[in-house]
Amino acid sequence: SPKLFDAISKRATERLGTLSSQGIANIVWAYAKVGHASPELFDAISHKTIKKIDTFNAQSLANTVLAYAKAGHYSPKLFDAISYKAMDELDTFTSQEIANTVWAYAKIGHSSPKLFLAISYKAIEKIDTFNSQGIANTVWAYAKKRFTSPELFDAFSQRAMKKLHTFNSQSLANTVWAYAKIGHSSPKLFDA
């Protein structure tokens, strides 16, 4: 119900100081999920998140940028703050959080070369934990941002060949598009 979401938005904005980082991430994720625009709430949460960024863990960071990207609500200062915090927390990121984070930055169009470079190394370290959607979303994000990382694309090519039976048609299309867009040759993957 739009009226309910409008009322919750007003109340949440008033109580932002009492919300945890997880609570903040959950609220913006819910609004993005149902497609209810609430620019005032997203602006207020952006401002509050920047102030509370040190309380955010990997999951809250990834879910927050994912929600902003899905909602199409661009907040450059928020994305900058999360980029710096994410680089400090990368050791704690799961493969899903890595994939969601780079996907969000690419989707919203925010440039963060240092984050993408740091994530490329961390993703290679955690390559065995990526599922087909994580593979597809990560290579799509790198290609969308035109951020080349031959080592990353080589590692994901090998991982994708092992997981190819689990790819759905969208993941296959996104993966092939990413390799073509970035101009990274992977004959074994394309022939698999």
Side-chain angles (χ1 to χ4, degrees), residues 38-189:
S38 186
E40 299 84 11
L41 175 64
F42 274 65
D43 287 343
I45 284 178
S46 175
H47 182 70
K48 188 55 142 182
T49 298
I50 292 167
K51 288 183 175 183
K52 292 179 70 165
I53 198 71
D54 287 335
T55 67
F56 277 64
N57 64 19
Q59 183 180 18
S60 296
L61 293 168
N63 288 349
T64 300
V65 291
L66 182 64
Y68 274 74
K70 284 189 175 204
H73 191 95
Y74 186 41
S75 176
K77 289 181 182 177
L78 174 66
F79 275 75
D80 284 342
I82 288 179
S83 176
Y84 292 120
K85 179 65 175 172
M87 285 188 284
D88 289 341
E89 300 290 326
L90 269 183
D91 286 338
T92 66
F93 272 62
T94 65
S95 57
Q96 182 178 353
E97 291 158 353
I98 287 171
N100 288 348
T101 299
V102 293
W103 182 91
Y105 277 76
K107 177 74 173 166
I108 205 77
H110 189 81
S111 182
S112 187
K114 289 180 182 177
L115 177 63
F116 270 61
L117 180 62
I119 284 180
S120 69
Y121 294 122
K122 191 53 65 180
I124 291 168
E125 283 179 27
K126 296 185 176 202
I127 195 74
D128 290 335
T129 64
F130 277 82
N131 63 21
S132 58
Q133 184 176 358
I135 293 166
N137 288 352
T138 302
V139 296
W140 177 88
Y142 276 78
K144 177 85 171 153
K145 293 302 295 170
R146 297 180 187 258
F147 191 96
T148 59
S149 176
E151 298 86 1
L152 178 82
F153 275 80
D154 286 344
F156 273 109
S157 176
Q158 292 174 15
R159 179 69 177 159
M161 285 188 293
K162 293 177 185 173
K163 302 293 288 178
L164 211 50
H165 65 282
T166 66
F167 277 66
N168 65 25
S169 58
Q170 186 66 56
S171 293
L172 284 172
N174 288 349
T175 301
V176 170
W177 176 88
Y179 278 81
K181 179 78 171 174
I182 207 78
H184 189 89
S185 178
S186 184
K188 289 182 180 178
L189 176 61

